[in-house]
Amino acid sequence: MTAAGEPAGDAGPAPPAPPPGASGRLRLIVALNAIGNGLFFSVSALYFTQSAGITTAELGIGLTAGGIAGACASVWVGNLAERWGPRRLTMAVWLAQAAGMVGYLFVHSFALFLPVAVIVVMLDRSAGAGYRVLLARALAGTDRARSRSALRSMANAGMGAGAAVAGVVLEIGTRLAYATAIVADIATFLIAALLMAGLALPDARAGAAPAGAPPGGTRARRPRSAVWTDGPFLAITALSMILTMQFGLLEVGLPLWVADRTSAPHATVAAALIINTGLIVALQVRFSRGSEDLDRAARLTRRSGVVLGAACLVFALAAGVPAWLAVTLIVVAASLQTIAEMYYSVGTMALSYDLVPDGDTGSYHGVFQAGYITGLLLAPVVITNSALRFGTWGWVLLACVFAACGALVVPAGRAAARARAAAPGIPAPAGSPGQ
């Protein structure tokens, strides 16, 4: 769908298709990286607190400091990916992470843990900006919504496989077992970087210049700072940041809610996580249908906020009821949260990718990644000081905030599409909202 009154041919050339075999190699890379992440994330907390001599508070300080550093570095990493090349940048970051992970093997005090954790977590969080630029390049010329969803489904399957292996490590519980898990994660970084070296990406310069470009085929470029004056895109980033806090519901809110306020057995938490992973693996691609239209993508994001609000209300109902009913309500709430997560993923992915102007991808993806990281950092603080502190009314407050943010994405998306369509030399995105 082109801008109103604009000939279809003025929308610019179709992006070059990825080279044959690129999608299969990319899926393998994503799966391998996810297996390593699932393994490490599942054992890291117990390794640091039970084997490396790090207290829970010190662990939180290190991870939070690294997250803040990652959020600050995201825009710089996004710009570097655009200038240096996303494949080369991603390989460099993964090799640096592998080197940093070696430092974890020698941690035995907070003085050693803090600098290593800040570096490794900063690399992990900020790498997402480069990865977003890489996906934008690698998936050009494909059904990007479906391809991104397929990769997310595979990543969740890989995380589940890594977590399953971690169960064996946790059962053994020795320092040697933990060290073996860390070495295995390091190996996945090295192998993924090696595979990335052979990943063929479409030539970013391929294709004719879009309508309105200067003579000679050079694309009209916005200044690097354009993202900071793009109010509608910044609004979408902020609203998405708040919706990102939903990931803290299952990771932080549910375990503490089950343990402190409900009669459900603690194993219910594991069941909820299994439901989350299973539904995403099975249904994420199906949920992507239609999200290539930006108006529908905005409405899917709105739906995410509404369903997420419903999940919060059902979580609240699980307090003060018999165990069987509490388990039932938690399973229902976890299922709703997962549905909201899938809507959020396809909606915000489409908006954040398709509203990015050519020539400024690094800055835009870096800013959006910084918002995503900030949402993850805020989630534990917000959830513990709302739902877990005030009980039912805290859950109601969260439900209202999530639903309101989802609703506001629709007008913000339409405003962003109008601004993009009005920019000289920049083709309007397909399916622009409000057109």
Side-chain angles (χ1 to χ4, degrees):
M1 177 176 179
T2 57
E6 186 178 335
D10 289 345
S23 59
R25 181 178 286 260
L26 184 59
R27 287 195 295 269
L28 178 59
I29 292 170
V30 168
L32 183 64
N33 188 253
I35 290 172
N37 288 338
L39 174 60
F40 177 74
F41 292 153
S42 299
V43 305
S44 59
L46 290 181
Y47 166 70
F48 288 123
T49 57
Q50 296 187 6
S51 181
I54 306 301
T55 67
T56 302
E58 289 170 343
L59 178 63
I61 291 172
L63 297 181
T64 301
I68 293 172
C72 295
S74 287
V75 178
W76 177 76
V77 170
N79 280 326
L80 187 60
E82 186 180 356
R83 297 173 186 176
W84 197 26
R87 184 186 61 172
R88 186 184 303 174
L89 185 280
T90 302
M91 288 173 57
V93 169
W94 283 350
L95 291 174
Q97 281 186 266
M101 295 285 290
V102 172
Y104 279 156
L105 295 170
F106 302 98
V107 164
H108 56 77
S109 68
F110 182 63
L112 290 175
F113 167 74
L114 183 60
V116 177
V118 169
I119 292 171
V120 172
V121 176
M122 178 191 68
L123 289 170
D124 178 69
R125 297 303 193 193
S126 62
Y131 179 70
R132 290 175 62 86
V133 177
L134 182 130
L135 283 189
R137 179 87 60 83
L139 302 181
T142 68
D143 182 347
R144 290 191 295 181
R146 186 177 182 85
S147 298
R148 287 190 298 252
S149 294
L151 289 175
R152 186 168 189 266
S153 177
M154 181 160 288
N156 274 268
M159 289 284 288
V165 176
V168 178
V169 175
L170 294 172
E171 187 64 27
I172 298 173
T174 64
R175 186 175 180 89
L176 178 59
Y178 289 130
T180 302
I182 293 174
V183 170
D185 188 30
I186 292 172
T188 63
F189 277 118
L190 296 177
I191 298 172
L194 181 63
L195 291 171
M196 182 67 73
L199 179 66
L201 297 178
D203 187 351
R205 296 166 298 179
T218 303
R219 287 183 182 269
R221 296 173 61 89
R222 290 186 177 188
R224 289 288 177 187
S225 59
V227 66
W228 300 113
T229 59
D230 191 339
F233 186 86
L234 292 177
I236 291 174
T237 299
L239 295 170
S240 299
M241 178 191 74
I242 297 173
L243 292 174
T244 298
M245 291 193 293
Q246 66 181 284
F247 293 108
L249 291 181
L250 294 186
E251 296 173 4
V252 178
L254 178 60
L256 297 176
W257 183 250
V258 167
D260 298 340
R261 299 293 189 97
T262 79
S263 57
H266 292 181
T268 309
V269 176
L273 294 175
I274 292 172
I275 290 171
N276 177 268
T277 300
L279 287 177
I280 290 174
V281 171
L283 299 176
Q284 183 67 79
V285 174
R286 182 177 300 179
F287 271 64
S288 70
R289 293 174 181 170
S291 61
E292 63 277 1
D293 178 89
L294 287 178
D295 194 40
R296 177 165 171 76
R299 286 185 279 115
L300 289 175
T301 308
R302 177 177 62 191
R303 192 176 301 173
S304 171
V306 173
V307 176
L308 188 57
C312 290
L313 297 179
V314 177
F315 274 129
L317 295 176
V321 298
W324 68 269
L325 182 56
V327 170
T328 301
L329 290 170
I330 289 170
V331 167
V332 171
S335 300
L336 289 172
Q337 188 277 329
T338 304
I339 292 171
E341 182 180 334
M342 289 188 285
Y343 281 135
Y344 160 88
S345 175
V346 298
T348 58
M349 280 280 248
L351 292 169
S352 63
Y353 276 82
D354 297 341
L355 290 174
V356 172
D358 295 332
D360 209 359
T361 57
S363 296
Y364 272 73
H365 285 306
V367 167
F368 195 85
Q369 178 69 12
Y372 175 80
I373 298 170
T374 304
L376 296 179
L377 289 172
L378 290 175
V381 176
V382 172
I383 292 171
T384 54
N385 284 283
S386 56
L388 299 178
R389 182 175 183 180
F390 298 106
T392 299
W393 288 110
W395 283 112
V396 171
L397 175 61
L398 279 180
C400 293
V401 170
F402 286 140
C405 285
L408 290 173
V409 168
V410 174
R414 290 173 177 167
R418 286 194 297 269
R420 171 78 186 277
I426 299 177
S432 301
Q435 294 183 10

